[in-house]
Amino acid sequence: MILPAVDWAQPWLAPYRAHGQAVAQAASVHGSVAEALQGARPAHAPVPDFVQQHALPAGQAYEAHIFQTRTVPTRDNLHDFFNGLVWLAFPLAKRRLNELQAGEIARHGVAAVRGPLRDALTLFDENGAVLDAPPALWQALVARDWHTLFVERREWWAQARLLVFGHALLEKLAAPRKPITAHVLLAHEAAGAVAFDDARMAQALDPARLERKPFVPLPLLGVPGWWPGNEAASFYDDPQVFRPLPERGIHGR
């Protein structure tokens, strides 16, 4: 199975590059993403086994199956390829997300509508990112003050670290488009979690906080150094992408 081409030089792929290139090559040889990921799995790391998708029984909840069997059913596509790479790079954070998902499924079953915690867990797992940055950048991001964030304070991004965690987000970025937006968990709100630190990120995934959805939208191609076009200040003059903070109505509603 040959995966679509991935530009491994892109900055958002830095945490996944070492495993990613090798796994993609192995998948092209062996014809199986699961087999390629399994071959890259460290022998003594808290990473589950990767198995073919047909190992997931019909009607069985995916997250519950992973929790019960410590195996990850994997399809031969880019989405599951990136999911596997995140497991390899951040196994403790992925395990924590899975434990919380499985716990919610055990308590409430699988319904047509997820509860607030499962919604937040899925959002972060699929589309999340973690930002570790100076407070002035955090404040500008929360305020959706894009000019301050990306133009006035542009040089401050040299002190920031941004981790793209969500595997669906990584899949989207394989074909970069300006509107691609992450749901960012700010490191100062993550109990000291620091981007690229697996153990501290896992500890920060607190269900009481996550179900309040403490995420802030961030159009990723606006990040300095992540896309050539954003070197011009006019790049950010696009209200369809860089949207202002919604105004509160009367009585704050």
Side-chain angles (χ1 to χ4, degrees), residues 87-226:
W87 268 109
L88 291 173
F90 301 101
L92 299 178
K94 288 285 282 186
R95 176 182 283 186
R96 177 61 172 160
L97 290 171
N98 177 247
E99 289 172 349
L100 293 172
Q101 286 272 20
E104 287 295 286
I105 291 170
R107 280 187 288 273
H108 306 295
V110 179
V113 178
R114 298 185 181 100
L117 179 55
R118 284 199 67 208
D119 265 346
L121 293 168
T122 301
L123 184 65
F124 185 68
D125 192 31
E126 296 276 349
N127 213 56
V130 178
L131 176 65
D132 179 23
L137 292 185
W138 292 338
Q139 294 160 10
L141 177 59
V142 170
R144 316 291 204 276
D145 184 351
W146 307 114
H147 185 80
T148 297
L149 179 66
F150 290 129
V151 181
E152 290 184 5
R153 303 292 188 189
R154 192 173 185 84
E155 70 280 2
W156 290 33
W157 279 92
Q159 304 173 45
R161 293 188 296 175
L162 177 62
L163 166 69
V164 175
F165 183 89
H167 55 279
L169 196 55
L170 290 166
E171 181 189 17
K172 293 174 189 175
L173 286 166
R177 295 181 301 109
K178 190 175 182 179
I180 295 174
T181 299
H183 289 79
V184 172
L185 190 63
L186 302 180
H188 75 295
E189 291 187 356
V194 178
F196 308 100
D197 189 322
D198 186 28
R200 294 179 70 185
M201 184 159 47
Q203 292 170 3
L205 294 172
D206 174 66
R209 183 174 51 82
L210 287 174
E211 66 183 3
R212 297 195 296 270
K213 295 187 180 177
F215 307 114
V216 182
L218 173 62
L220 290 174
L221 297 193
V223 175
W226 278 33

